[in-house]
Amino acid sequence: MSGTPEYRFFANALRGLREELVWNAAAYRPLPRAGADGPVIRRMPRRLRGRLAWTPHAVVVGLALLVFSIVGIDEPEPYGSDAGPLFGLLPTGVVLLTLIRPIAAFWLSLAIDAAGAVIAAYWSYFPDLPWTESCFASHLIVLTVVALRTGPRAAAWMWGLTAVFGFLVSLLLSGDGASDIAPMLVTSAVLLLSVSVRHIRRAAQQEVTAERHVSAAERSRRTLLEERTTIARELHDVVAHHMSVVAIQAEAAPYRVADPPPELAQAFATIRENAVAALAELRRLLGVVRAEDYQAPDAPQPTLADLDALLANVREAGLDVTKTVTGAVRELPQGVELSAYRIVQEALSNVLRHAPGATARVEVSHVLGGLGLRVVNGPSTEPARPSPGAGHGVTGMRERVTMLGGEMVAGPAEDGGYEVTAFLPVAIPPTASPSPTQPNQPTQRTQPSHRNQPNQPDSPVGRPEPHAKGDPS
């Protein structure tokens, strides 16, 4: 018997009744104030918002006064004279009780309705039972307020209990069969249905908002992982080159010395074995992070020497850009030059995408202990044109800077444009032989293009042809 669908249905129904209207029925649950971000309150002057937050309480008090005013107007003797004040205060008090104990107010409303029906039947002054005029209005208000403060399931149970109560009282106390149960059920059904639809709509909006937040967080996390994977793939070539050089030099070193000691030969052999093993592990790691559609580049990774080709491509795309180089140019680690090139490339791609008509300036500063980069553009003079992309170009730039232990700042410029500034620390090699260079002069001006914004995608625009396949943008 306990496993039948009918039994489970009624068991779930009774459990819902207990959870909504029985357990903690007398719990103290004060009506909260209206939120300051509501559609009406947020449009009001700031000095009035604090007072308007008490609007729900004022509405309930006003409805309670309306119930009290019904007594003595529509209800005849003796209910309107001797018992009038008492039976006017009780329904009014029930409405006010919804402010602090909503579930208890519903049960008390049924009890007062039953008492009023008994008295009305005893005096035979009310042919329509079970509700008097004041109790009818009070019960409708209680149902609506409690449903607003609970939910659709509680509203359904309150409507069902009201129907059962109305039919039982009409059957037992109404001699001629006259009853106002139909108006009560129809009116309350409309009110509770409206409240339930409001609850369902609000719950759906909250769920959609939560899903959007989760999706945005997951999308941001996935994009961050993709950026790190791209950086790992690019740096594989750099690290693999150095490891290969170590292995070759370790193998060739013993032949550069006549009759090397066995200990020295064994040390170089160990160095070579470790370098080869590290290179093999590096390749396995790259196989793990490589995407299914990844294609190995057919050209060396770009460096700062390829910036001129990048700027030429960008100018062909319509961006007026100039480059300035300051400081003593020196050879930098390959990973630093690759990251610097990608940062400039992504910054210019964002300018093309988001600031049509703007001009851009690239500054490369070779300073003691590092490399400074600055990409700044002016304000847009044309409507921005949409373009595909992941929307996380600045995320990739920050990851590259963080990987090298540098610093980066990206934000609006004073003139309405946008500025990206980065510093990449570089250890000065002991054999460095810097040679000064003169800043590059601005080149021909062509049609300008777009504004650099944070969290914008990489773009293939402005990429030099020899490195197109290996570009992660």
Side-chain angles (χ1 to χ4, degrees):
M1 179 67 180
S2 61
T4 61
E6 293 81 3
Y7 176 85
R8 289 196 297 269
F9 173 78
F10 285 107
N12 291 334
L14 291 177
R15 184 168 60 252
L17 174 62
R18 292 195 302 268
E19 292 175 356
E20 297 293 340
L21 299 179
V22 177
W23 295 342
N24 300 322
Y28 178 71
R29 298 171 54 186
L31 179 66
R33 299 172 60 184
D37 57 346
V40 177
I41 295 181
R42 66 170 175 240
R43 292 182 173 87
M44 298 296 176
R46 186 178 299 274
R47 62 179 180 276
L48 296 179
R49 292 178 186 175
R51 299 177 182 177
L52 291 176
W54 297 99
T55 301
H57 304 75
V59 171
V60 173
V61 173
L63 293 174
L65 295 177
L66 176 63
V67 171
F68 184 77
S69 66
I70 296 176
V71 181
I73 297 178
D74 297 324
E75 298 178 355
E77 298 288 346
Y79 199 47
S81 59
D82 300 334
L86 175 63
F87 281 90
L89 289 175
L90 289 179
T92 303
V94 171
V95 174
L96 294 176
L97 186 61
T98 59
L99 293 172
I100 54 175
R101 303 184 190 274
I103 305 301
F106 167 73
W107 291 112
L108 185 59
S109 177
L110 287 182
I112 293 175
D113 293 343
V118 171
I119 295 175
Y122 176 79
W123 290 102
S124 301
Y125 271 95
F126 298 94
D128 295 336
L129 294 176
W131 286 281
T132 64
E133 282 81 355
S134 60
C135 289
F136 189 95
S138 172
H139 195 67
L140 282 178
I141 295 172
V142 169
L143 288 176
T144 305
V145 175
V146 175
L148 283 170
R149 300 201 55 194
T150 53
R153 188 166 68 168
W157 272 114
M158 289 190 298
W159 188 87
L161 293 173
T162 299
V164 172
F165 166 80
F167 284 119
L168 288 178
V169 173
S170 298
L171 181 63
L172 296 176
L173 299 180
S174 181
D176 56 358
S179 174
D180 54 3
I181 183 65
M184 169 60 75
L185 294 183
V186 172
T187 306
S188 61
V190 173
L191 292 175
L192 294 179
L193 181 61
S194 302
V195 172
S196 299
V197 170
R198 178 178 179 272
H199 273 292
I200 294 173
R201 182 173 179 270
R202 175 176 294 181
Q205 289 177 340
Q206 293 175 349
E207 184 176 356
V208 170
T209 302
E211 288 293 336
R212 286 178 178 174
H213 285 302
V214 172
S215 299
E218 182 63 25
R219 185 166 54 251
S220 177
R221 177 177 173 271
R222 184 173 62 251
T223 302
L224 183 62
L225 293 177
E226 291 174 354
E227 293 291 343
R228 291 178 177 177
T229 302
T230 298
I231 296 172
R233 289 200 304 262
E234 289 185 346
L235 291 181
H236 163 265
D237 293 342
V238 177
V239 179
H241 168 73
H242 290 303
M243 295 301 296
S244 300
V245 171
V246 170
I248 294 173
Q249 289 179 342
E251 184 177 9
Y255 300 100
R256 295 177 179 271
V257 181
D259 299 325
E263 295 83 1
L264 181 61
Q266 181 61 36
F268 280 117
T270 303
I271 293 174
R272 180 184 181 280
E273 291 175 0
N274 290 335
V276 172
L279 185 59
E281 293 298 330
L282 182 63
R283 287 171 178 168
R284 292 193 189 99
L285 178 61
L286 179 65
V288 173
V289 300
R290 180 183 291 125
E292 295 181 358
D293 57 348
Y294 172 74
Q295 296 181 355
D298 57 1
Q301 295 289 359
T303 63
L304 289 177
D306 300 308
L307 275 184
D308 290 334
L310 171 66
L311 299 184
N313 252 346
V314 172
R315 293 187 188 102
E316 292 178 1
L319 176 62
D320 180 11
V321 57
T322 61
K323 185 185 77 168
T324 302
V325 179
T326 58
V329 177
R330 63 183 182 276
E331 184 179 355
L332 301 175
Q334 195 171 356
V336 174
E337 294 215 5
L338 172 61
S339 296
Y341 177 91
R342 294 303 187 199
I343 291 172
V344 174
Q345 181 187 43
E346 293 177 1
L348 293 178
S349 296
N350 286 341
V351 178
L352 281 171
R353 185 174 290 115
H354 300 286
T359 59
R361 186 172 68 258
V362 177
E363 299 178 5
V364 181
S365 302
H366 293 265
V367 297
L368 184 63
L371 177 70
L373 297 173
R374 183 171 181 261
V375 181
V376 59
N377 63 270
S380 174
T381 60
E382 301 175 8
R385 44 182 183 267
S387 61
H392 293 274
V394 173
T395 301
M397 290 188 274
R398 290 191 188 280
E399 283 299 308
R400 295 179 187 277
V401 173
T402 303
M403 174 192 65
L404 297 173
E407 298 179 356
M408 173 178 160
V409 177
E414 295 181 357
D415 61 353
Y418 202 82
E419 179 177 348
V420 175
T421 305
F423 175 76
L424 308 179
V426 178
I428 301 178
T431 59
S433 55
S435 58
T437 184
Q438 296 297 327
N440 291 1
Q441 298 301 320
T443 56
Q444 61 180 0
R445 308 176 69 90
T446 58
Q447 182 181 355
S449 206
H450 100 260
R451 174 177 185 169
N452 190 3
Q453 293 287 356
N455 294 336
Q456 297 301 333
D458 301 349
S459 171
V461 178
R463 164 183 315 149
E465 293 301 329
H467 312 293
K469 267 193 169 181
D471 194 292
S473 302

